[in-house]
Amino acid sequence: MILIDGKKTAQDIRAELKIEIDRLTSSGKSVPGLVAILVGDHPASEIYIKSKSKACNEIGMRTLTEKLASDTLENDLLELISEYNFNKDFHGILVQLPLPKHINENKVIEAILPKKDVDGFHPISIGNLVIGKDAFRSCTPAGIQELLIRYNIDTKGKHVVILGRSNIVGKPIANILLQKKEHANSIVTVCHSAAPDVSYYTKQADILIAAIGSPEFVKAEMVKEGVVVLDVGINRVEDATAKKGYRVLGDVDFAEVSHKASYITPVPGGVGPMTIAMLLKNTFEAFTKYG
Ligand code: GUN
């Protein structure tokens, strides 16, 4: 069994980007910039935003966080996005989700210019992805594909079974791996809560991607020998013996499934760290393409 080290891979990607940005800086050129917009005080979002801005700073990318009050009007948020759409110092705009209930998330996502949509959530980005045109791909799915590439895991003709059909992970990774392209070209099955017997599908997987938010859902008897497992789950479960009072578990029962898998990501330290690395990569790409 080979452990897929997402933490190390994410560090490698950040180091590669830092070299590119150092090169720009030393030749007196401008650098890529990412603005993150946070509305309200969702604790998990605050943590994500802090890690994002720390990661930007470490590689020399310009970064700014706009923190808005939880009662910010939708129109004021749309206005701010529109300002950044035309701000030449920022090549990527990220609005942290979830947003407070009174704000229409779709409207906000659609307000971001597709050329600055480094989260890959805009319907134009998603449409382009589906039809195989160049597009920003949302960061967690892009990170999953990057892990497959960097670990030389062949995807062509392989049966990829995805658990979960979210707009952020399940649907985009299905569309990425379905493309008739290098590092894709897979046979894809997307499983979801209406599946009468999930094992029927998971047992057929050459590559299993779990993104359902259910701790240790995937058990050894649900997979075949030699399966490649990518676990997107980040589930906090109470644990009085842990320092923080909780443990973080994936959607896969790692202790059991790792004995059958040929490759597997741990949680934490697997898919998770790749998300920010790919966000930085997308921002760098926005800069080189449209900067
Ligand atoms: N909330 C949880 N994950 C994400 C993400 O990748 N991007 C944004 N914008 N919000 C999120």
Side-chain angles (χ1 to χ4, degrees):
M1 182 271 290
I2 294 174
L3 194 69
I4 300 180
D5 189 344
K7 196 171 167 200
K8 161 82 170 51
T9 309
Q11 271 165 6
D12 292 347
I13 293 169
R14 295 207 300 259
E16 289 159 18
L17 290 168
K18 185 172 187 306
I19 291 170
E20 303 271 356
I21 294 173
D22 284 349
R23 202 173 285 151
L24 291 168
T25 314
S26 56
S27 55
K29 297 211 173 92
S30 66
V31 294
L34 172 71
V35 59
I37 304 174
L38 175 65
V39 187
D41 40 24
H42 195 272
S45 293
E46 299 230 11
I47 296 172
Y48 284 139
I49 290 274
K50 273 200 191 124
S51 321
K52 281 166 190 166
S53 98
K54 184 166 168 263
C56 287
N57 285 324
E58 277 169 10
I59 64 164
M61 192 174 266
R62 176 179 293 115
T63 180
L64 179 70
T65 301
E66 291 273 10
K67 277 188 86 170
L68 308 181
S70 56
D71 60 355
T72 298
L73 296 177
E74 183 181 279
N75 266 340
D76 291 341
L77 175 58
L78 294 173
E79 186 65 36
L80 184 67
I81 292 171
S82 149
E83 281 170 29
Y84 281 108
N85 277 339
F86 296 101
N87 183 327
K88 290 198 169 14
D89 289 335
F90 292 95
H91 310 85
I93 303 174
L94 174 147
V95 179
Q96 187 66 31
L97 303 180
L99 288 167
K101 295 254 174 315
H102 67 280
I103 298 178
N104 181 329
E105 254 173 34
N106 286 334
K107 228 169 158 179
V108 169
I109 290 169
E110 286 168 35
I112 299 169
L113 277 183
K115 68 173 190 176
K116 296 198 177 190
D117 175 36
V118 287
D119 248 336
F121 292 167
H122 194 291
I124 291 185
S125 306
I126 293 164
N128 281 334
L129 164 68
V130 172
I131 62 173
K133 277 176 69 179
D134 215 18
F136 288 117
R137 298 162 315 153
S138 51
C139 305
T140 304
I144 292 171
Q145 191 188 33
E146 193 72 23
L147 286 174
L148 292 169
I149 294 170
R150 292 188 185 229
Y151 278 82
N152 280 318
I153 296 166
D154 192 18
T155 50
K156 184 178 175 187
K158 299 288 188 253
H159 189 184
V160 176
V161 176
I162 298 161
L163 301 185
R165 56 177 154 185
S166 70
N167 289 339
I168 297 188
V169 182
K171 284 181 200 159
I173 190 64
N175 282 286
I176 289 170
L177 294 176
L178 189 61
Q179 297 301 319
K180 193 172 179 178
K181 290 186 177 173
E182 214 189 341
H183 308 304
N185 219 352
S186 306
I187 318 303
V188 178
T189 298
V190 183
C191 257
H192 47 75
S193 51
D197 176 12
V198 180
S199 300
Y200 171 79
Y201 302 99
T202 53
K203 278 179 188 159
Q204 299 175 43
D206 299 313
I207 299 173
L208 180 66
I209 300 173
I212 45 172
S214 179
E216 300 187 328
F217 176 86
V218 177
K219 301 290 180 191
E221 74 263 14
M222 294 168 67
V223 299
K224 70 178 181 191
E225 202 66 49
V227 64
V228 173
V229 179
L230 295 133
D231 188 351
V232 187
I234 301 176
N235 307 291
R236 275 189 190 190
V237 292
E238 274 185 41
D239 180 353
T241 67
K243 227 194 261 167
K244 292 180 180 162
Y246 65 85
R247 273 185 307 149
V248 176
L249 296 177
D251 290 348
V252 175
D253 189 328
F254 184 88
E256 282 191 10
V257 176
S258 55
H259 294 295
K260 277 177 113 177
S262 56
Y263 291 83
I264 187 165
T265 59
V267 174
V271 175
M274 292 298 290
T275 301
I276 291 179
M278 299 314 284
L279 174 72
L280 302 178
K281 211 165 183 235
N282 278 351
T283 306
F284 189 82
E285 199 178 308
F287 167 83
T288 43
K289 271 195 186 150
Y290 311 111

